[in-house]
Amino acid sequence: LLILGLIYRFWPYLEEIRGGGGDDIALKEAQVRKYRKIVQHAGALEKKAAFLEKTLDRLEAGLLTGKTPSLAAADIQNILNEIAGKRDLEVLTMRVLKPESEEEDLYTTIPVQITIRCTVRQLKEVVYQVESASKLLRISDFRVRVVRGKQEGQVQATLTVEGFMEKIANG
């Protein structure tokens, strides 16, 4: 049993000594071809990496600049107040929600919930302005109710607008 175990353990070395090297040369030639092909594509990969780096820099310019989530939320609130002021909207409520960040994420999501009363046309303009703001913002939740009563044609919309900031190292 011991002899069988030793043979099993050292069989690859015995094959190499015996002269099974013909296949080994073919394998090494295939590896060399593979590596040459990789080297040929290195230039294209470097160009793609440079393009991705520029794209990342451009997108990170749209991140919120506050040093804390509270300051970043204030940035979002200012943007929303500016949009509402331009459109002459009635802002009913504005709340800062709890920041969200997964352990492996590089960015923290800062949500702000706003409730406004407006017409459908004004709401369309608000959505457009949020999506095309200078900061990277998205609308993650969107609810609309029709307002009954004296203000015909009005809707009440609740939007959750999220902005992004770089994750703080210790938080």
PDB file of all heavy atoms in Angstrom, residues 108-136:
ATOM      1  N   THR A 108     -21.848  56.928  -1.045  1.00  0.00           N
ATOM      2  CA  THR A 108     -22.977  56.953  -0.131  1.00  0.00           C
ATOM      3  C   THR A 108     -24.140  57.626  -0.843  1.00  0.00           C
ATOM      4  O   THR A 108     -23.964  58.665  -1.479  1.00  0.00           O
ATOM      5  CB  THR A 108     -22.619  57.744   1.146  1.00  0.00           C
ATOM      6  OG1 THR A 108     -21.502  57.118   1.770  1.00  0.00           O
ATOM      7  CG2 THR A 108     -23.779  57.774   2.121  1.00  0.00           C
ATOM      8  N   THR A 109     -25.320  57.054  -0.733  1.00  0.00           N
ATOM      9  CA  THR A 109     -26.524  57.613  -1.339  1.00  0.00           C
ATOM     10  C   THR A 109     -27.212  58.509  -0.309  1.00  0.00           C
ATOM     11  O   THR A 109     -27.481  58.070   0.808  1.00  0.00           O
ATOM     12  CB  THR A 109     -27.472  56.484  -1.771  1.00  0.00           C
ATOM     13  OG1 THR A 109     -26.766  55.605  -2.641  1.00  0.00           O
ATOM     14  CG2 THR A 109     -28.690  57.020  -2.472  1.00  0.00           C
ATOM     15  N   ILE A 110     -27.494  59.745  -0.704  1.00  0.00           N
ATOM     16  CA  ILE A 110     -28.141  60.717   0.182  1.00  0.00           C
ATOM     17  C   ILE A 110     -29.543  60.982  -0.362  1.00  0.00           C
ATOM     18  O   ILE A 110     -29.708  61.671  -1.373  1.00  0.00           O
ATOM     19  CB  ILE A 110     -27.348  62.048   0.231  1.00  0.00           C
ATOM     20  CG1 ILE A 110     -25.868  61.811   0.469  1.00  0.00           C
ATOM     21  CG2 ILE A 110     -27.957  62.995   1.239  1.00  0.00           C
ATOM     22  CD1 ILE A 110     -25.529  61.230   1.804  1.00  0.00           C
ATOM     23  N   PRO A 111     -30.594  60.450   0.278  1.00  0.00           N
ATOM     24  CA  PRO A 111     -31.960  60.668  -0.214  1.00  0.00           C
ATOM     25  C   PRO A 111     -32.644  61.856   0.481  1.00  0.00           C
ATOM     26  O   PRO A 111     -32.482  62.070   1.681  1.00  0.00           O
ATOM     27  CB  PRO A 111     -32.674  59.368   0.124  1.00  0.00           C
ATOM     28  CG  PRO A 111     -31.926  58.812   1.290  1.00  0.00           C
ATOM     29  CD  PRO A 111     -30.535  59.357   1.234  1.00  0.00           C
ATOM     30  N   VAL A 112     -33.391  62.627  -0.307  1.00  0.00           N
ATOM     31  CA  VAL A 112     -34.209  63.727   0.198  1.00  0.00           C
ATOM     32  C   VAL A 112     -35.594  63.557  -0.407  1.00  0.00           C
ATOM     33  O   VAL A 112     -35.738  63.393  -1.618  1.00  0.00           O
ATOM     34  CB  VAL A 112     -33.620  65.106  -0.198  1.00  0.00           C
ATOM     35  CG1 VAL A 112     -34.549  66.223   0.215  1.00  0.00           C
ATOM     36  CG2 VAL A 112     -32.246  65.290   0.421  1.00  0.00           C
ATOM     37  N   GLN A 113     -36.607  63.594   0.450  1.00  0.00           N
ATOM     38  CA  GLN A 113     -37.986  63.430  -0.005  1.00  0.00           C
ATOM     39  C   GLN A 113     -38.659  64.798  -0.021  1.00  0.00           C
ATOM     40  O   GLN A 113     -38.614  65.532   0.969  1.00  0.00           O
ATOM     41  CB  GLN A 113     -38.735  62.483   0.927  1.00  0.00           C
ATOM     42  CG  GLN A 113     -40.107  62.112   0.427  1.00  0.00           C
ATOM     43  CD  GLN A 113     -40.765  61.132   1.378  1.00  0.00           C
ATOM     44  OE1 GLN A 113     -41.020  61.479   2.517  1.00  0.00           O
ATOM     45  NE2 GLN A 113     -41.021  59.930   0.895  1.00  0.00           N
ATOM     46  N   ILE A 114     -39.281  65.125  -1.159  1.00  0.00           N
ATOM     47  CA  ILE A 114     -39.975  66.404  -1.299  1.00  0.00           C
ATOM     48  C   ILE A 114     -41.402  66.139  -1.756  1.00  0.00           C
ATOM     49  O   ILE A 114     -41.643  65.260  -2.585  1.00  0.00           O
ATOM     50  CB  ILE A 114     -39.227  67.339  -2.289  1.00  0.00           C
ATOM     51  CG1 ILE A 114     -39.922  68.702  -2.367  1.00  0.00           C
ATOM     52  CG2 ILE A 114     -39.083  66.704  -3.644  1.00  0.00           C
ATOM     53  CD1 ILE A 114     -39.143  69.743  -3.146  1.00  0.00           C
ATOM     54  N   THR A 115     -42.340  66.878  -1.165  1.00  0.00           N
ATOM     55  CA  THR A 115     -43.744  66.804  -1.565  1.00  0.00           C
ATOM     56  C   THR A 115     -44.134  68.174  -2.080  1.00  0.00           C
ATOM     57  O   THR A 115     -43.958  69.181  -1.381  1.00  0.00           O
ATOM     58  CB  THR A 115     -44.645  66.396  -0.389  1.00  0.00           C
ATOM     59  OG1 THR A 115     -44.182  65.139   0.124  1.00  0.00           O
ATOM     60  CG2 THR A 115     -46.085  66.264  -0.814  1.00  0.00           C
ATOM     61  N   ILE A 116     -44.655  68.212  -3.313  1.00  0.00           N
ATOM     62  CA  ILE A 116     -45.031  69.477  -3.937  1.00  0.00           C
ATOM     63  C   ILE A 116     -46.454  69.396  -4.468  1.00  0.00           C
ATOM     64  O   ILE A 116     -46.972  68.317  -4.747  1.00  0.00           O
ATOM     65  CB  ILE A 116     -44.071  69.836  -5.095  1.00  0.00           C
ATOM     66  CG1 ILE A 116     -43.986  68.701  -6.126  1.00  0.00           C
ATOM     67  CG2 ILE A 116     -42.701  70.182  -4.579  1.00  0.00           C
ATOM     68  CD1 ILE A 116     -43.152  69.013  -7.345  1.00  0.00           C
ATOM     69  N   ARG A 117     -47.075  70.563  -4.611  1.00  0.00           N
ATOM     70  CA  ARG A 117     -48.393  70.666  -5.239  1.00  0.00           C
ATOM     71  C   ARG A 117     -48.186  71.477  -6.506  1.00  0.00           C
ATOM     72  O   ARG A 117     -47.641  72.592  -6.446  1.00  0.00           O
ATOM     73  CB  ARG A 117     -49.398  71.347  -4.320  1.00  0.00           C
ATOM     74  CG  ARG A 117     -50.788  71.361  -4.924  1.00  0.00           C
ATOM     75  CD  ARG A 117     -51.847  71.814  -3.965  1.00  0.00           C
ATOM     76  NE  ARG A 117     -52.034  70.779  -2.943  1.00  0.00           N
ATOM     77  CZ  ARG A 117     -52.277  71.040  -1.671  1.00  0.00           C
ATOM     78  NH1 ARG A 117     -52.347  72.275  -1.244  1.00  0.00           N
ATOM     79  NH2 ARG A 117     -52.438  70.068  -0.809  1.00  0.00           N
ATOM     80  N   CYS A 118     -48.603  70.913  -7.645  1.00  0.00           N
ATOM     81  CA  CYS A 118     -48.352  71.561  -8.928  1.00  0.00           C
ATOM     82  C   CYS A 118     -49.274  70.984  -9.995  1.00  0.00           C
ATOM     83  O   CYS A 118     -50.059  70.083  -9.728  1.00  0.00           O
ATOM     84  CB  CYS A 118     -46.898  71.357  -9.329  1.00  0.00           C
ATOM     85  SG  CYS A 118     -46.428  69.618  -9.450  1.00  0.00           S
ATOM     86  N   THR A 119     -49.122  71.499 -11.219  1.00  0.00           N
ATOM     87  CA  THR A 119     -49.834  70.916 -12.350  1.00  0.00           C
ATOM     88  C   THR A 119     -48.980  69.799 -12.935  1.00  0.00           C
ATOM     89  O   THR A 119     -47.798  69.680 -12.614  1.00  0.00           O
ATOM     90  CB  THR A 119     -50.098  71.976 -13.449  1.00  0.00           C
ATOM     91  OG1 THR A 119     -48.844  72.408 -13.972  1.00  0.00           O
ATOM     92  CG2 THR A 119     -50.897  73.153 -12.902  1.00  0.00           C
ATOM     93  N   VAL A 120     -49.567  69.015 -13.814  1.00  0.00           N
ATOM     94  CA  VAL A 120     -48.827  67.916 -14.436  1.00  0.00           C
ATOM     95  C   VAL A 120     -47.687  68.473 -15.287  1.00  0.00           C
ATOM     96  O   VAL A 120     -46.581  67.929 -15.295  1.00  0.00           O
ATOM     97  CB  VAL A 120     -49.775  67.028 -15.276  1.00  0.00           C
ATOM     98  CG1 VAL A 120     -49.001  65.985 -16.062  1.00  0.00           C
ATOM     99  CG2 VAL A 120     -50.807  66.369 -14.391  1.00  0.00           C
ATOM    100  N   ARG A 121     -47.926  69.579 -15.975  1.00  0.00           N
ATOM    101  CA  ARG A 121     -46.884  70.203 -16.795  1.00  0.00           C
ATOM    102  C   ARG A 121     -45.713  70.658 -15.914  1.00  0.00           C
ATOM    103  O   ARG A 121     -44.552  70.439 -16.248  1.00  0.00           O
ATOM    104  CB  ARG A 121     -47.453  71.393 -17.568  1.00  0.00           C
ATOM    105  CG  ARG A 121     -46.422  72.093 -18.444  1.00  0.00           C
ATOM    106  CD  ARG A 121     -47.048  73.233 -19.207  1.00  0.00           C
ATOM    107  NE  ARG A 121     -48.054  72.760 -20.126  1.00  0.00           N
ATOM    108  CZ  ARG A 121     -47.846  72.536 -21.413  1.00  0.00           C
ATOM    109  NH1 ARG A 121     -46.663  72.732 -21.918  1.00  0.00           N
ATOM    110  NH2 ARG A 121     -48.804  72.109 -22.193  1.00  0.00           N
ATOM    111  N   GLN A 122     -46.016  71.280 -14.790  1.00  0.00           N
ATOM    112  CA  GLN A 122     -44.957  71.702 -13.866  1.00  0.00           C
ATOM    113  C   GLN A 122     -44.192  70.491 -13.328  1.00  0.00           C
ATOM    114  O   GLN A 122     -42.968  70.535 -13.184  1.00  0.00           O
ATOM    115  CB  GLN A 122     -45.537  72.514 -12.699  1.00  0.00           C
ATOM    116  CG  GLN A 122     -46.020  73.887 -13.076  1.00  0.00           C
ATOM    117  CD  GLN A 122     -46.747  74.556 -11.924  1.00  0.00           C
ATOM    118  OE1 GLN A 122     -47.509  73.911 -11.197  1.00  0.00           O
ATOM    119  NE2 GLN A 122     -46.512  75.848 -11.758  1.00  0.00           N
ATOM    120  N   LEU A 123     -44.909  69.408 -13.026  1.00  0.00           N
ATOM    121  CA  LEU A 123     -44.275  68.194 -12.520  1.00  0.00           C
ATOM    122  C   LEU A 123     -43.309  67.615 -13.550  1.00  0.00           C
ATOM    123  O   LEU A 123     -42.204  67.192 -13.217  1.00  0.00           O
ATOM    124  CB  LEU A 123     -45.340  67.166 -12.141  1.00  0.00           C
ATOM    125  CG  LEU A 123     -44.837  65.865 -11.551  1.00  0.00           C
ATOM    126  CD1 LEU A 123     -44.033  66.114 -10.284  1.00  0.00           C
ATOM    127  CD2 LEU A 123     -46.012  64.939 -11.258  1.00  0.00           C
ATOM    128  N   LYS A 124     -43.722  67.635 -14.805  1.00  0.00           N
ATOM    129  CA  LYS A 124     -42.843  67.164 -15.879  1.00  0.00           C
ATOM    130  C   LYS A 124     -41.564  68.003 -15.919  1.00  0.00           C
ATOM    131  O   LYS A 124     -40.453  67.468 -16.053  1.00  0.00           O
ATOM    132  CB  LYS A 124     -43.566  67.243 -17.218  1.00  0.00           C
ATOM    133  CG  LYS A 124     -42.710  66.863 -18.409  1.00  0.00           C
ATOM    134  CD  LYS A 124     -43.405  67.145 -19.712  1.00  0.00           C
ATOM    135  CE  LYS A 124     -43.380  68.620 -19.934  1.00  0.00           C
ATOM    136  NZ  LYS A 124     -42.992  69.124 -21.185  1.00  0.00           N
ATOM    137  N   GLU A 125     -41.687  69.293 -15.771  1.00  0.00           N
ATOM    138  CA  GLU A 125     -40.527  70.185 -15.772  1.00  0.00           C
ATOM    139  C   GLU A 125     -39.624  69.925 -14.567  1.00  0.00           C
ATOM    140  O   GLU A 125     -38.398  69.960 -14.679  1.00  0.00           O
ATOM    141  CB  GLU A 125     -40.967  71.650 -15.797  1.00  0.00           C
ATOM    142  CG  GLU A 125     -41.585  72.079 -17.102  1.00  0.00           C
ATOM    143  CD  GLU A 125     -40.598  72.007 -18.262  1.00  0.00           C
ATOM    144  OE1 GLU A 125     -39.430  72.402 -18.084  1.00  0.00           O
ATOM    145  OE2 GLU A 125     -41.004  71.550 -19.336  1.00  0.00           O
ATOM    146  N   VAL A 126     -40.228  69.654 -13.412  1.00  0.00           N
ATOM    147  CA  VAL A 126     -39.445  69.359 -12.209  1.00  0.00           C
ATOM    148  C   VAL A 126     -38.628  68.085 -12.419  1.00  0.00           C
ATOM    149  O   VAL A 126     -37.428  68.044 -12.112  1.00  0.00           O
ATOM    150  CB  VAL A 126     -40.353  69.227 -10.963  1.00  0.00           C
ATOM    151  CG1 VAL A 126     -39.601  68.621  -9.793  1.00  0.00           C
ATOM    152  CG2 VAL A 126     -40.930  70.573 -10.586  1.00  0.00           C
ATOM    153  N   VAL A 127     -39.256  67.056 -12.944  1.00  0.00           N
ATOM    154  CA  VAL A 127     -38.556  65.787 -13.189  1.00  0.00           C
ATOM    155  C   VAL A 127     -37.400  66.017 -14.161  1.00  0.00           C
ATOM    156  O   VAL A 127     -36.281  65.538 -13.944  1.00  0.00           O
ATOM    157  CB  VAL A 127     -39.525  64.709 -13.724  1.00  0.00           C
ATOM    158  CG1 VAL A 127     -38.775  63.487 -14.209  1.00  0.00           C
ATOM    159  CG2 VAL A 127     -40.527  64.331 -12.651  1.00  0.00           C
ATOM    160  N   TYR A 128     -37.649  66.791 -15.217  1.00  0.00           N
ATOM    161  CA  TYR A 128     -36.600  67.073 -16.188  1.00  0.00           C
ATOM    162  C   TYR A 128     -35.443  67.834 -15.533  1.00  0.00           C
ATOM    163  O   TYR A 128     -34.275  67.521 -15.755  1.00  0.00           O
ATOM    164  CB  TYR A 128     -37.152  67.868 -17.367  1.00  0.00           C
ATOM    165  CG  TYR A 128     -36.093  68.284 -18.330  1.00  0.00           C
ATOM    166  CD1 TYR A 128     -35.523  67.367 -19.217  1.00  0.00           C
ATOM    167  CD2 TYR A 128     -35.618  69.595 -18.352  1.00  0.00           C
ATOM    168  CE1 TYR A 128     -34.520  67.745 -20.081  1.00  0.00           C
ATOM    169  CE2 TYR A 128     -34.613  69.975 -19.219  1.00  0.00           C
ATOM    170  CZ  TYR A 128     -34.069  69.048 -20.084  1.00  0.00           C
ATOM    171  OH  TYR A 128     -33.072  69.428 -20.934  1.00  0.00           O
ATOM    172  N   GLN A 129     -35.767  68.845 -14.725  1.00  0.00           N
ATOM    173  CA  GLN A 129     -34.726  69.649 -14.078  1.00  0.00           C
ATOM    174  C   GLN A 129     -33.897  68.824 -13.096  1.00  0.00           C
ATOM    175  O   GLN A 129     -32.687  69.011 -12.997  1.00  0.00           O
ATOM    176  CB  GLN A 129     -35.349  70.850 -13.358  1.00  0.00           C
ATOM    177  CG  GLN A 129     -35.912  71.898 -14.274  1.00  0.00           C
ATOM    178  CD  GLN A 129     -34.838  72.543 -15.124  1.00  0.00           C
ATOM    179  OE1 GLN A 129     -33.778  72.884 -14.627  1.00  0.00           O
ATOM    180  NE2 GLN A 129     -35.120  72.695 -16.406  1.00  0.00           N
ATOM    181  N   VAL A 130     -34.539  67.916 -12.371  1.00  0.00           N
ATOM    182  CA  VAL A 130     -33.805  67.064 -11.429  1.00  0.00           C
ATOM    183  C   VAL A 130     -32.862  66.146 -12.188  1.00  0.00           C
ATOM    184  O   VAL A 130     -31.682  66.007 -11.841  1.00  0.00           O
ATOM    185  CB  VAL A 130     -34.770  66.247 -10.535  1.00  0.00           C
ATOM    186  CG1 VAL A 130     -34.034  65.152  -9.789  1.00  0.00           C
ATOM    187  CG2 VAL A 130     -35.489  67.166  -9.557  1.00  0.00           C
ATOM    188  N   GLU A 131     -33.356  65.529 -13.242  1.00  0.00           N
ATOM    189  CA  GLU A 131     -32.544  64.574 -13.999  1.00  0.00           C
ATOM    190  C   GLU A 131     -31.407  65.248 -14.763  1.00  0.00           C
ATOM    191  O   GLU A 131     -30.398  64.620 -15.046  1.00  0.00           O
ATOM    192  CB  GLU A 131     -33.420  63.770 -14.972  1.00  0.00           C
ATOM    193  CG  GLU A 131     -34.394  62.837 -14.284  1.00  0.00           C
ATOM    194  CD  GLU A 131     -33.724  61.645 -13.630  1.00  0.00           C
ATOM    195  OE1 GLU A 131     -32.677  61.198 -14.114  1.00  0.00           O
ATOM    196  OE2 GLU A 131     -34.264  61.157 -12.628  1.00  0.00           O
ATOM    197  N   SER A 132     -31.553  66.540 -15.092  1.00  0.00           N
ATOM    198  CA  SER A 132     -30.507  67.224 -15.855  1.00  0.00           C
ATOM    199  C   SER A 132     -29.727  68.223 -14.996  1.00  0.00           C
ATOM    200  O   SER A 132     -29.047  69.097 -15.530  1.00  0.00           O
ATOM    201  CB  SER A 132     -31.124  67.930 -17.062  1.00  0.00           C
ATOM    202  OG  SER A 132     -32.022  68.933 -16.629  1.00  0.00           O
ATOM    203  N   ALA A 133     -29.800  68.100 -13.687  1.00  0.00           N
ATOM    204  CA  ALA A 133     -29.077  69.004 -12.790  1.00  0.00           C
ATOM    205  C   ALA A 133     -27.565  68.816 -12.951  1.00  0.00           C
ATOM    206  O   ALA A 133     -27.093  67.789 -13.439  1.00  0.00           O
ATOM    207  CB  ALA A 133     -29.494  68.747 -11.342  1.00  0.00           C
ATOM    208  N   SER A 134     -26.818  69.825 -12.497  1.00  0.00           N
ATOM    209  CA  SER A 134     -25.354  69.755 -12.614  1.00  0.00           C
ATOM    210  C   SER A 134     -24.774  68.666 -11.713  1.00  0.00           C
ATOM    211  O   SER A 134     -23.719  68.120 -11.996  1.00  0.00           O
ATOM    212  CB  SER A 134     -24.730  71.102 -12.270  1.00  0.00           C
ATOM    213  OG  SER A 134     -25.013  71.444 -10.925  1.00  0.00           O
ATOM    214  N   LYS A 135     -25.446  68.359 -10.636  1.00  0.00           N
ATOM    215  CA  LYS A 135     -25.038  67.267  -9.758  1.00  0.00           C
ATOM    216  C   LYS A 135     -25.723  65.985 -10.228  1.00  0.00           C
ATOM    217  O   LYS A 135     -26.792  66.019 -10.824  1.00  0.00           O
ATOM    218  CB  LYS A 135     -25.411  67.546  -8.298  1.00  0.00           C
ATOM    219  CG  LYS A 135     -24.720  68.756  -7.720  1.00  0.00           C
ATOM    220  CD  LYS A 135     -23.243  68.513  -7.627  1.00  0.00           C
ATOM    221  CE  LYS A 135     -22.530  69.704  -7.037  1.00  0.00           C
ATOM    222  NZ  LYS A 135     -21.094  69.546  -7.042  1.00  0.00           N
ATOM    223  N   LEU A 136     -25.116  64.855  -9.934  1.00  0.00           N
ATOM    224  CA  LEU A 136     -25.664  63.558 -10.316  1.00  0.00           C
ATOM    225  C   LEU A 136     -26.799  63.216  -9.351  1.00  0.00           C
ATOM    226  O   LEU A 136     -26.571  62.847  -8.204  1.00  0.00           O
ATOM    227  CB  LEU A 136     -24.575  62.487 -10.270  1.00  0.00           C
ATOM    228  CG  LEU A 136     -24.965  61.083 -10.675  1.00  0.00           C
ATOM    229  CD1 LEU A 136     -25.465  61.066 -12.120  1.00  0.00           C
ATOM    230  CD2 LEU A 136     -23.792  60.148 -10.533  1.00  0.00           C
TER     231      LEU A 136
END
